[in-house]
Amino acid sequence: MATGFARNPGNESRLSAVDARVTPRRIVVAVTAVALVVCYAPILRGMFDQWLHDEDMGHGLVVPIVILWIVWRERKRWMALSPQPSWWGLAPLAAAACVHFMSVMGAGLFAGSVAFVLSVAGAVLCLGGPAFFRTWTFPFLLALFMLPKLAIVYNQVTLPLQLLASRLAEVMLLAGGTSVIREGNIIDAGGHRIAVAEACSGIRYLLSLGFVAVVLAYLADAKPWMRVALLAAAVPVAILANAMRVAASASVPALDAGALHAFAGCLVFVLCLAMLAIVRHLLNAAYAHYHA
């Protein structure tokens, strides 16, 4: 009695044809990825340097890792797709080339980073088609969190946030019975004066908490609108949390600087996550009641 499986020439020929198609496609994808890295090497190095040295952008180090993890986590979805290369990918590639040229001519790191994201989007459309792009829409949106700070916007937003944090901290201290004298972003609480500097404006909380809020919504909730809702909720939560930290630093001199100051910042961030969890619970309760 013969054992084993008889070879089917027809099956072998079909498998060989599939391998012949898959291998060149993988080569094209690999060459495209290498080309993007080489073309944007100075931009990528500048982004990494800012993530490493700018405390407001420290979360940028985590963003690419999370994006790659999400792409891997969703691999069953995109691996089941059949690539349908699209000429529409040339549009974002052309736009990326123009923006990259502007960055080289002096527009700055932000423009070059936008060009890199546009180039990746164009490459996905050209090689995989709209279906692949739709599948990776969320990772592309997350990539916005790793873009460098736009100096014009940052400078316009920082001072108002400093003043807002000072006012809210003053209200909190007065509510707690502490005598407060505030002059702009300078707070005098019982003889202890602190200045709400740019680093304490709350930008750091806004950016990092917004990113964490979107990722937590993705992991904990199947409803896409929850990501937008928690991102919107992260703004007032971050502003209030930063004001609480300023008020604590004004009332307790030991929290004004040093290791305790950093620890208080971490503790407040954990409190922010708890507040976002409460917001998500309330939104889900309201959603369930509305659809009951």
Side-chain angles (χ1 to χ4, degrees):
M1 179 175 174
T3 59
F5 296 95
R7 293 189 177 182
N8 188 326
N11 290 338
E12 290 185 356
S13 62
R14 283 194 294 271
L15 290 173
S16 299
V18 172
D19 291 340
R21 291 195 302 268
V22 171
T23 302
R25 186 180 301 142
R26 290 179 178 176
I27 293 175
V28 171
V29 171
V31 170
T32 302
V34 172
L36 286 173
V37 171
V38 171
C39 290
Y40 286 96
I43 300 296
L44 296 174
R45 183 169 57 250
M47 293 170 66
F48 182 78
D49 287 341
Q50 188 176 95
W51 300 340
L52 202 61
H53 299 108
D54 189 337
E55 293 185 355
D56 290 342
M57 290 300 300
H59 65 277
L61 291 167
V62 183
V63 176
I65 299 173
V66 173
I67 289 175
L68 292 175
W69 175 75
I70 290 175
V71 170
W72 175 252
R73 187 172 186 262
E74 300 282 342
R75 64 189 181 280
K76 290 184 179 180
R77 291 180 57 196
W78 56 264
M79 289 180 70
L81 299 174
S82 178
Q84 300 290 335
S86 173
W87 291 107
W88 287 106
L90 295 179
L93 285 175
C98 294
V99 177
H100 192 196
F101 177 75
M102 292 169 58
S103 72
V104 173
M105 297 303 294
L109 181 63
F110 181 84
S113 303
V114 172
F116 172 71
V117 176
L118 285 174
S119 294
V120 176
V124 170
L125 278 172
C126 281
L127 299 179
F132 274 84
F133 185 80
R134 285 193 298 270
T135 303
W136 290 340
T137 298
F138 183 59
F140 274 116
L141 292 176
L142 281 182
L144 299 178
F145 285 98
M146 71 181 187
L147 296 180
K149 292 184 299 189
L150 186 57
I152 297 177
V153 176
Y154 180 79
N155 293 333
Q156 292 293 324
V157 170
T158 301
L159 181 57
L161 284 177
Q162 288 175 258
L163 296 176
L164 179 59
S166 303
R167 293 191 192 101
L168 292 176
E170 178 188 17
V171 171
M172 293 176 183
L173 289 169
L174 290 173
T178 303
S179 60
V180 181
I181 300 175
R182 184 180 64 84
E183 298 178 1
N185 64 325
I186 307 296
I187 298 177
D188 187 322
H192 177 230
R193 290 171 60 89
I194 66 168
V196 182
E198 289 186 4
C200 298
S201 65
I203 288 286
R204 194 172 305 166
Y205 278 132
L206 279 172
L207 295 176
S208 57
L209 187 63
F211 170 69
V212 173
V214 174
V215 174
L216 286 179
Y218 163 78
L219 292 174
D221 209 298
K223 297 181 288 294
W225 60 263
M226 184 62 74
R227 301 167 195 176
V228 179
L230 287 188
L231 177 60
V235 176
V237 167
I239 291 174
L240 288 174
N242 185 61
M244 290 173 55
R245 189 175 68 131
V246 172
S249 299
S251 59
V252 182
L255 299 178
D256 189 17
L260 286 179
H261 181 74
F263 177 76
C266 294
L267 190 62
V268 170
F269 191 80
V270 173
L271 178 62
C272 289
L273 296 180
M275 293 174 68
L276 286 179
I278 294 173
V279 170
R280 174 181 170 271
H281 175 75
L282 294 175
L283 288 174
N284 276 325
Y287 180 81
H289 178 75
Y290 179 78
H291 288 84

